[in-house]
Amino acid sequence: MVKIKEPENNVKLPLSRPIIGVAGKTGLWRTMRPIVNNEKCTSCFQCEIYCPVNVIRVEPKLGVTIDYDYCKGCGICEDVCPRSAIIMIPEIGE
Amino acid sequence: MSESQVKPPLPYSARDVVLPGDASCHGCPIPIALKVLSAVFGEKMILVIPACCTSVIVGTYPGQSLKASIIHVPFASAAAVASGVAQALKMRGISDVQVVAWAGDGGTADIGMATVSGAAERNEDIFYIMYDNEAYMNTGIQRSSSTPRGAWTTTTPILGKGENKKDVAKVLIAHNVPYVATASIGYPHDLYSKLQRAKNIHGFKYIQIHAPCPTGWRFDPKYTVKIAKLAVETGFWILYEYYNGKLIISGPSRPLLDSSKRKPIEEYLKLQGRFRTITPEIINSINEYIESNWSWIKKLM
Ligand SMILES: Cc1ncc(C[n+]2csc(CCOP(=O)(O)OP(=O)(O)O)c2C)c(N)n1
Ligand code: SF4
Ligand code: SF4
Ligand code: SF4
Ligand SMILES: [Mg+2]
């Protein structure tokens, strides 16, 4: 992306900027929480590739992490995991 | 997937551009497709988006969920605006930025058809991507010409839609553009390789991505990917590429040339509330529709 200079005379250009959480902390939408069992995981990346919120990171040595601040709890990761290494449990909040 | 595989099937750049916390519904197919797009072009793309779910998902002002440039445009103009932007980049000697018109089925198959046809005829050097969630979702699930026969929508509330899905990819093949492909959010790697191949082709490139929408199709959001795959496995949605005057069936669809390898269409329909009241007659007609699509495919191979 190109950096655009805002004009100096206080005129705001109608340009938007990339931000995380443009719709807020979408983790609050969650009624079900995905839990990863790293023992079962084979680092196949299916969950990371399909997660619509882009909050799963598969790190072959470290395991799978999920950013619960934004995970919406859709359950796609559970459905696509070939090892049943992710299960959805009812959300009880932090 | 083999156990030894430790590298992602898509480049790590798929992590960077689609930011968490967008406004899409649970299980939305659109950001899945955008992730694949970003794996190919990174931040170096200008998306031209007419009114559709994507406009709302990515946000307008002051923030947006994509680390890429977005131009929000009125309906019907996406292909025209994208043409202009691509021409302007060319005149300024900018060659490393990809212009992508990104529109829904309503904005393409119905409302934007005239400018799509115009840009295709002029062979503008752009990608035109239609993500196909088979109805006007953003305004509350009205039928489009890309809605399949038998599907409930709020404007086909009793018997479901009476007509078959309009085949926009076929319409674009008839324009003789250099590249046409069908893809699906169920097969990100297939979409990735199609984008990789097409980006080296000069001229108009059309890709239609089948995108099951849990909200409009009435299914559990966890099944977005499963339903996308079933559309392909039943032969309802056929993955192919068309270039150099030839049609090439893509890997996941290839075995299904043999109709006995296709799963029964009921497996696809029964998971979706929009087909809840479908009759055996309409199921038969969907099967005939599938068969006629495959015979058309075989003729072009
Ligand atoms: C000229 C005009 N007519 C109608 C609308 C209202 N409108 C906004 S989005 C939309 C539906 C678009 O459907 P589609 O292109 O399939 O995208 P989807 O919402 O399904 O992602 C409509 C009708 C509009 N914004 N502008
Ligand atoms: S539940 Fe959905 S949003 Fe949350 S990590 Fe899984 S796929 Fe991503
Ligand atoms: S899909 Fe399952 S096995 Fe594959 S990386 Fe994710 S958690 Fe691990
Ligand atoms: S209505 Fe469908 S396509 Fe639109 S944001 Fe929701 S899930 Fe995505
Ligand atoms: Mg639509």
Side-chain angles (χ1 to χ4, degrees):
Chain A
M1 287 203 318
V2 187
K3 284 257 174 302
I4 294 170
K5 239 174 66 194
E6 298 276 356
E8 275 149 28
N9 49 3
N10 259 341
V11 178
K12 273 256 175 241
L13 290 175
L15 290 171
S16 61
R17 311 280 174 202
I19 51 169
I20 292 175
V22 78
K25 283 249 162 37
T26 50
L28 294 169
W29 302 5
R30 201 170 52 237
T31 56
M32 298 293 279
R33 169 184 285 247
I35 302 288
V36 187
N37 178 348
N38 277 307
E39 310 256 286
K40 287 190 177 175
C41 171
T42 55
S43 300
C44 72
F45 284 93
Q46 294 296 297
C47 54
E48 176 171 334
I49 283 180
Y50 287 112
C51 171
V53 193
N54 210 355
V55 286
I56 305 188
R57 294 293 177 261
V58 179
E59 301 295 354
K61 294 221 171 67
L62 303 169
V64 176
T65 54
I66 295 176
D67 180 352
Y68 292 110
D69 281 349
Y70 295 101
C71 158
K72 295 175 185 173
C74 64
I76 288 181
C77 50
E78 178 192 48
D79 186 61
V80 298
C81 176
R83 293 293 169 135
S84 307
I86 302 182
I87 51 159
M88 304 297 292
I89 61 162
E91 181 61 54
I92 46 158
E94 295 297 334
Chain B
M1 284 292 143
S2 82
E3 297 207 27
S4 59
Q5 188 168 2
V6 287
K7 266 172 75 182
L10 292 178
Y12 278 115
S13 55
R15 291 180 166 183
D16 302 334
V17 174
V18 178
L19 301 175
D22 69 18
S24 61
C25 315
H26 293 77
C28 178
I30 294 170
I32 302 177
L34 288 171
K35 278 166 68 179
V36 182
L37 192 70
S38 70
V40 177
F41 302 115
E43 299 178 12
K44 294 262 181 187
M45 53 183 176
I46 300 177
L47 294 180
V48 181
I49 307 180
C52 59
C53 279
T54 313
S55 341
V56 179
I57 291 172
V58 298
T60 44
Y61 186 79
Q64 61 179 43
S65 71
L66 294 184
K67 259 197 220 169
S69 300
I70 302 173
I71 308 177
H72 293 280
V73 298
F75 260 135
S77 70
V81 173
S83 304
V85 174
Q87 294 285 358
L89 290 178
K90 190 175 159 200
M91 282 178 176
R92 296 174 64 177
I94 300 170
S95 57
D96 61 342
V97 177
Q98 182 61 55
V99 180
V100 180
W102 176 276
D105 50 303
T108 305
D110 302 334
I111 306 173
M113 189 44 92
T115 56
V116 173
S117 176
E121 185 265 334
R122 297 189 304 274
N123 198 27
E124 300 285 356
D125 190 20
I126 58 170
F127 270 93
Y128 189 102
I129 298 184
M130 158 173 158
Y131 67 90
D132 189 3
N133 56 16
E134 301 189 328
Y136 292 76
M137 293 310 177
N138 185 38
T139 39
I141 326 174
Q142 293 84 14
R143 118 201 235 289
S144 81
S145 59
S146 195
T147 303
R149 181 152 193 204
W152 164 93
T153 65
T154 51
T155 47
T156 54
I158 314 281
L159 299 172
K161 188 183 164 190
E163 301 78 19
N164 277 323
K165 189 175 169 67
K166 183 195 274 186
D167 193 336
V168 183
K170 220 188 242 181
V171 174
L172 268 297
I173 289 176
H175 281 69
N176 217 5
V177 293
Y179 187 85
V180 175
T182 56
S184 161
I185 62 100
Y187 299 88
H189 200 263
D190 173 73
L191 171 59
Y192 177 77
S193 24
K194 284 168 177 167
L195 287 162
Q196 283 291 4
R197 183 179 346 275
K199 79 173 191 201
N200 298 315
I201 296 175
H202 182 86
F204 194 87
K205 299 158 281 272
Y206 174 79
I207 301 183
Q208 183 166 337
I209 307 175
H210 198 235
C213 157
T215 306
W217 299 13
R218 298 290 193 242
F219 62 81
D220 185 328
K222 75 197 276 191
Y223 291 138
T224 302
V225 172
K226 185 188 183 121
I227 288 176
K229 287 187 176 169
L230 277 169
V232 171
E233 290 161 353
T234 54
F236 177 83
W237 184 246
I238 309 173
L239 301 178
Y240 64 81
E241 289 172 290
Y242 182 89
Y243 57 97
N244 294 335
K246 260 218 158 70
L247 189 146
I248 300 127
I249 300 211
S250 314
S253 288
R254 204 170 298 135
L256 311 177
L257 275 164
D258 172 357
S259 61
S260 71
K261 298 264 159 53
R262 297 174 209 154
K263 289 186 176 168
I265 189 66
E266 286 83 351
E267 287 193 29
Y268 174 61
L269 304 176
K270 75 180 180 207
L271 286 174
Q272 305 172 49
R274 65 174 175 160
F275 293 115
R276 201 164 48 84
T277 55
I278 201 164
T279 59
E281 291 74 42
I282 307 229
I283 295 183
N284 279 344
S285 86
I286 295 177
N287 277 323
E288 281 164 22
Y289 162 82
I290 292 174
E291 208 36 65
S292 81
N293 280 342
W294 280 95
S295 24
W296 175 79
I297 292 274
K298 285 174 191 166
K299 274 189 225 136
L300 283 189
M301 279 173 71

